[in-house]
Each structure stands twice: as structure tokens, then as C-alpha cells.
Amino acid sequence: MKTLFATCLLLSLLLTFSLFQATSAAGFCGLKCKARCATAGMPDRCIKYCGICCLACKCVPSGTYGNKDECPCYRDKLSSKGKPKCP
């Protein structure tokens, strides 16, 4: 019985930790992308693609345009058409 309780406790702690990581990453990306896309002509689309890139790369360049050398992963992501994916 003690082993079952310990196993359940451990699994719940791991699940809580993984949910916390996903939430904090989404919060980080949301704030960074909102700032990055503040002057975009199509802010909803900009925030969507910025969020995809941020979750994959774990970074967003500073400013509203350019500065992509700060985050090589973000800079090098390409769409299926071979164009830059990240705003």
C-alpha cells in the first residue's frame, strides 16, 4: 500500500511539474510575442507564428522587427515555401 501511495504521489508531482513548465513557457512566449508583434499589420497572424517559433526555439528577438541574429533558431525556421516562418 505504501508503494502504491508513493508511486501515485511521484506521478502527480511529475504531472504538475510538466504542466507548470508548459504554462510558464506559454506565458513567456505570449508576452514576448505580443511585444514583438505590437506594430504588425496583421497582429493575430504575427502572434500565432511568433508563438510557434518561440515554443520551438525558446527565444524571441527583441524589438518589433529585425534583431533575428539574437536567436538563430528563430531566424533559420522556414515555411514550406522556403520563406522565413518567424516574424
Side-chain angles (χ1 to χ4, degrees), residues 43-85:
D44 293 338
R45 178 188 266 176
C46 180
I47 289 171
K48 174 186 173 184
Y49 287 109
C50 178
I52 291 169
C53 295
C54 177
L55 288 174
C57 297
K58 312 240 184 313
C59 64
V60 175
S62 61
T64 57
Y65 184 79
N67 303 325
K68 289 187 178 182
D69 288 334
E70 294 175 3
C71 185
C73 170
Y74 192 96
R75 175 193 65 212
D76 297 338
K77 281 207 163 300
L78 300 175
S79 70
S80 60
K81 296 178 181 176
K83 295 185 178 188
K85 180 175 192 143

Side-chain angles (χ1 to χ4, degrees), residues 9-10 12 50-51:
L9 181 63
L10 181 61
S12 66
C50 178

Side-chain angles (χ1 to χ4, degrees), residues 36-43 46 64:
R36 177 104 179 140
C37 298
T39 61
M42 300 175 82
C46 180
T64 57

Side-chain angles (χ1 to χ4, degrees), residues 12-34:
S12 66
L13 287 173
L14 288 172
L15 181 62
T16 303
F17 181 70
S18 65
L19 289 174
F20 175 73
Q21 276 189 318
T23 304
S24 63
F28 166 80
C29 290
L31 292 173
K32 291 289 219 174
C33 289
K34 191 171 183 180

